[in-house]
Amino acid sequence: MPCRDRYGYALTTSPEAAAAYDRGLGDLLRLRHGAAAGIAAAVAIDPTFALGHAALALLGHEMCLEVDLGARMRDAALHAARGTERERSHVHAVLAHVRGDSRPLLRHLEDHPRDALLLSSAVPTIAFAGATEVPEEAWALVERAAPAYGEDWWFAGLLGFVRQEQRRYDDAMDLACRSLAVEPAAGHAAHARAHAHYETGDHAAGLAWMDGWIAEEGRTTDGASHFSWHAALHELSLGDLDAVRRRHAGQLRPELGLGCRALVDTGSLLFRWALTPGATEVPGLDAVVAVTGHDVLERPATPFLALHAAVVLLAVGDGAGLDRLARRSDAHDHPVHREVVAPLARALRMLADGRASEAADALARLAGPSRRLGGSDAQREVLEETRIAALLRGGRLEEAGRLLDERLDRRPSVRDRRWRAVASGQRDGVALDGERDLAEG
């Protein structure tokens, strides 16, 4: 009788290794501490377990975990021949994805939709950057998989995330709550609910729920900093900058050992906080750079990490780093690096050089293509906010005002109302990094 994972797929390994792997998979699907440790334990028990090696390679590639990526990829390829057809396809899909070609992963999911690890990795959410070019492709992938999962609590949370991206917020909230009723620690469902609160401007209620979940059911989540980031976005939107300062000090300081999350969560929060009218004494991003490392900043593994790397390099005034990121992206095998990351790095270099109006125009051209970077609408908003700041710096107040009006039409925000007042000439002082004035009086 072969060992099987929680979704019924055979695992070519010992019962002890299979149990450790499945525990790790369960933790990963919950976004709970212990996923990598469980999978590493499986490999320690059975060094010939190809799926364990492949999973560690995938986590190392996506999450900046301390993994010998080359060794894990070699061992996965070496031992895959022992496995079933599904396992061989799984390993091939992971190795190709890590090397920049996600097509085998997407083909694999057509035949094996209940391969939850790879479905999770294919959809840009809190856990992974995704394997699709634009959100609509990820949505279709999840919709096609729905019959295979039925009422599964994990899938309900994943589908809830898709629904909020489709702006079907009531459906998203219903799916998230149904998932959380079965598994209160369901991280994907909590994430879908967090986005539904934010996108509908339900900031006070969203903040209260998020804080409660972080303290109770979500206290073991591996994505704690991202949920804290969501809470801080509510605080920014409410205009409560003292709360943002407390949130950063208590939950989002990069020295708390956040890995790539320090770049994605802390870096973007500090940047957006510094852009906020009335922001003072915003902590610098040097600690984010120190934790992340220049190799990740200038050679990011995914377009999603590259987006945040470019923002952080701008924030610390590293124009040379932006130049290197642009050059390496130009030469990258992945088309999104070449076609979106490289022009983004050049646009932010314009801003660093004081060419604000040119930068605003370059960022406007990237408004549509930026969806290919992965992540969520809420994360990619950092580029829209950078464009608004550039327009203000360039004296193009009417254009900045129109963008802010569009944002306020989407959802209420005290912060955006204050920013709109800046664009109307009623106030000044929009800072790029807490020191540089993008409004210029």
Side-chain angles (χ1 to χ4, degrees):
M1 189 74 176
C3 301
R4 296 192 179 275
D5 69 13
R6 64 190 52 233
Y7 288 105
Y9 288 125
L11 299 174
T12 305
T13 188
S14 69
E16 295 79 11
Y21 176 84
D22 201 53
R23 284 197 302 274
L25 177 59
D27 288 335
L28 182 62
L29 297 181
R30 289 175 174 83
L31 305 179
R32 189 166 62 189
H33 294 311
I39 295 168
V43 170
I45 294 166
D46 179 6
T48 69
F49 183 30
L51 259 64
H53 290 292
L56 290 175
L58 181 63
L59 296 179
H61 170 72
E62 294 273 353
M63 300 180 183
C64 301
L65 298 184
E66 293 187 7
V67 169
D68 187 337
L69 188 60
R72 298 288 71 74
M73 292 173 71
R74 287 193 299 273
D75 286 347
L78 175 66
H79 299 299
R82 299 177 58 245
T84 63
E85 180 278 330
R86 196 276 307 187
E87 290 174 293
R88 294 194 299 274
S89 175
H90 177 113
V91 169
H92 174 63
V94 170
L95 300 185
H97 177 65
V98 170
R99 294 181 179 121
D101 181 4
S102 298
R103 290 171 296 180
L105 192 157
L106 300 178
R107 288 195 296 269
H108 173 88
L109 288 169
E110 292 177 5
D111 296 326
H112 309 285
R114 285 174 65 84
D115 199 331
L117 173 58
L118 294 197
L119 181 59
S120 179
S121 69
V123 180
T125 62
I126 183 173
F128 294 102
T132 53
E133 280 283 308
V134 292
E136 287 81 0
E137 293 178 359
W139 302 346
L141 190 65
V142 175
E143 302 280 7
R144 286 195 299 270
Y149 284 90
E151 296 299 313
D152 180 76
W153 63 264
W154 170 75
F155 184 81
L158 185 67
L159 183 59
F161 185 82
V162 166
R163 291 288 180 258
Q164 67 79 28
E165 285 206 322
Q166 295 168 333
R167 302 187 179 182
R168 295 168 58 179
Y169 301 118
D170 289 343
D171 291 342
M173 187 67 77
D174 178 63
L175 284 160
C177 290
R178 281 162 48 193
S179 175
L180 289 162
V182 176
E183 174 51 82
H188 283 286
H191 190 220
R193 180 168 177 173
H195 276 272
H197 280 296
Y198 178 72
E199 297 296 350
T200 57
D202 190 17
H203 300 302
L207 176 61
W209 182 83
M210 189 84 273
D211 273 338
W213 189 82
I214 290 171
E216 297 296 334
E217 294 90 349
R219 63 187 179 278
T220 62
T221 184
D222 204 33
S225 71
H226 189 65
F227 289 110
S228 296
W229 176 84
H230 271 284
L233 279 195
H234 285 308
E235 290 162 344
L236 274 180
S237 297
L238 292 165
D240 190 348
L241 301 188
D242 289 338
V244 175
R245 189 177 304 280
R246 291 191 298 270
R247 181 82 54 185
H248 171 262
Q251 299 174 355
L252 285 165
R253 286 180 293 109
E255 55 267 32
L256 295 173
L258 304 176
C260 277
R261 298 245 65 103
L263 172 63
V264 172
D265 296 324
T266 307
S268 66
L269 173 67
L270 291 175
F271 187 85
R272 293 169 79 162
W273 176 11
L275 293 179
T276 302
T280 59
E281 299 180 358
V282 179
L285 280 83
D286 289 340
V288 173
V289 172
V291 167
T292 303
H294 280 281
D295 190 60
V296 172
L297 290 173
E298 297 179 15
R299 299 179 183 84
T302 66
F304 176 69
L305 287 178
L307 158 65
H308 291 86
V311 166
V312 168
L313 289 168
L314 169 64
V316 298
D318 190 350
L322 284 167
D323 288 339
R324 289 190 290 271
L325 176 61
R327 287 196 298 272
R328 288 176 177 131
S329 300
D330 276 327
H332 204 284
D333 291 338
H334 198 297
V336 179
H337 282 272
R338 297 193 304 271
E339 297 165 13
V340 186
V341 174
L344 171 60
R346 286 192 288 269
L348 298 190
R349 178 59 197 260
M350 294 175 196
L351 194 50
D353 288 345
R355 296 151 56 198
S357 191
E358 290 178 69
D361 289 337
L363 289 168
R365 290 191 291 273
L366 289 168
S370 67
R371 300 174 82 233
R372 299 170 64 193
L373 293 168
S376 66
D377 290 340
Q379 288 170 314
R380 293 189 300 271
E381 269 186 347
V382 68
L383 296 182
E384 181 180 69
E385 295 182 359
T386 305
R387 180 183 167 197
I388 291 168
L391 287 169
L392 292 171
R393 175 68 183 269
R396 295 160 63 177
L397 304 187
E398 286 190 17
E399 291 176 64
R402 285 196 294 271
L403 281 177
L404 287 160
D405 287 339
E406 291 172 7
R407 286 164 64 93
L408 287 165
D409 285 343
R410 292 201 303 268
R411 59 176 174 264
S413 168
V414 173
R415 177 191 187 227
D416 282 357
R417 287 205 308 270
R418 292 175 181 169
W419 216 354
R420 185 64 179 87
V422 175
S424 299
Q426 298 171 31
R427 297 181 56 181
D428 59 14
V430 180
L432 179 62
D433 59 5
E435 298 175 354
R436 297 179 60 190
D437 182 2
L438 285 188
E440 281 197 336

